[in-house]
Amino acid sequence: DADVTQTPRNRITKTGKRIMLECSQTKGHDRMYWYRQDPGLGLRLIYYSFDVKDINKGEISDGYSVSRQAQAKFSLSLESAIPNQTALYFCATSGYGTPSSYNEQFFGPGTRLTVL
Amino acid sequence: QQQVKQSPQSLIVQKGGISIINCAYENTAFDYFPWYQQFPGKGPALLIAIRPDVSEKKEGRFTISFNKSAKQFSLHIMDSQPGDSATYFCAASWLGGGADGLTFGKGTHLIIQP
């Protein structure tokens, strides 16, 4: 089984709809991240979480919210989806250990979201 | 503000050749420089990483060269193979602020022609 899973893998929705993307991990990591990938723009950080009580905004948090329901679960919500939120969304985790391993991030398979 | 600039955007190399991808960073606080490899339909995966206390790190056919004074680092893929065809992202962060996440370059689409 995959260590980092994302659901759904693909989603088509309409402008104005609320949508939630979910991420679960079995790696036992404390830190979780949501990134957005757009062609030619690389990956950009939306939100990150130290643990269930610590949520932080990333580079492009406007229009998004998150919930850390448990150490293993981190959800991303679009309260009112708009077309320019069409992108590939990735969840990632990192764990506590040696300084070099601390920054290694493990990515899920991604969710392709299309907002019409 | 783009803190990590990556070039080229796309690259075609013949099988057996050397693939070179370059990155430059602005934030002198960065002290961790990984390269991620992404295949179509998959999430990025760590390929190799370097700290600024060394100028080069080699793992198999993959080498990172690091120039601290120029604030540049590059990925060299020796004896490039068709299976290396993927999108490569350089990234940077500082270990003390690891939870901030990685700052990624825009990616390089690499094609290795048989």
Side-chain angles (χ1 to χ4, degrees):
Chain A
D1 289 341
D3 294 320
V4 183
T5 57
Q6 294 183 234
T7 56
R9 293 295 311 279
N10 290 282
R11 180 71 182 267
I12 300 174
T13 191
K14 295 182 178 180
T15 297
K17 294 292 187 180
R18 183 180 187 276
I19 185 169
M20 178 181 289
L21 309 183
E22 300 184 339
C23 176
S24 295
Q25 54 112 347
T26 59
K27 300 187 76 66
H29 288 168
D30 55 345
R31 303 191 173 198
M32 299 186 73
Y33 310 81
W34 275 104
Y35 290 92
R36 167 179 173 162
Q37 184 177 13
D38 298 275
L41 294 181
L43 293 103
R44 294 178 290 169
L45 183 65
I46 306 173
Y47 271 96
Y48 62 99
S49 170
F50 282 50
D51 59 36
V52 294
K53 298 180 180 180
D54 195 316
I55 305 290
N56 303 277
K57 294 182 177 180
E59 178 187 358
I60 55 165
S61 60
D62 288 349
Y64 302 95
S65 62
V66 292
S67 173
R68 187 82 182 265
Q69 301 95 323
Q71 186 198 32
K73 296 184 182 297
F74 193 36
S75 300
L76 176 72
S77 294
L78 287 68
E79 296 300 325
S80 180
I82 56 177
N84 77 358
Q85 292 178 312
T86 294
L88 191 54
Y89 291 85
F90 286 101
C91 173
T93 73
S94 67
Y96 184 82
T98 62
S100 60
S101 68
Y102 195 69
N103 275 71
E104 179 176 358
Q105 295 190 13
F106 297 83
F107 285 78
T111 294
R112 185 169 297 279
L113 177 65
T114 302
V115 183
L116 301 177
Chain B
Q1 178 186 4
Q2 182 189 1
Q3 296 193 52
V4 179
K5 295 183 179 181
Q6 182 173 347
S7 63
Q9 186 173 6
S10 61
L11 180 63
I12 299 174
V13 175
Q14 295 296 315
K15 179 182 176 182
I18 302 174
S19 303
I20 302 174
I21 305 171
N22 300 299
C23 282
Y25 63 97
E26 299 171 1
N27 189 341
T28 56
F30 287 148
D31 61 0
Y32 174 72
F33 303 91
W35 285 89
Y36 278 77
Q37 181 187 54
Q38 184 182 28
F39 294 106
K42 304 291 186 181
L46 179 65
L47 182 64
I48 186 173
I50 195 168
R51 296 285 309 278
D53 51 346
V54 296
S55 60
E56 185 176 282
K57 183 175 182 179
K58 183 176 181 180
E59 291 185 359
R61 297 184 293 108
F62 300 90
T63 300
I64 299 178
S65 297
F66 184 80
N67 185 329
K68 187 175 182 178
S69 61
K71 295 188 289 185
Q72 295 176 347
F73 59 110
S74 60
L75 176 69
H76 295 235
I77 306 175
M78 311 299 289
D79 187 25
S80 299
Q81 299 297 311
D84 297 329
S85 297
T87 300
Y88 292 81
F89 294 96
C90 62
S93 73
W94 58 100
L95 294 181
D100 291 342
L102 294 162
T103 299
F104 285 89
K106 293 185 177 182
T108 296
H109 183 52
L110 174 64
I111 297 173
I112 308 300
Q113 292 186 331

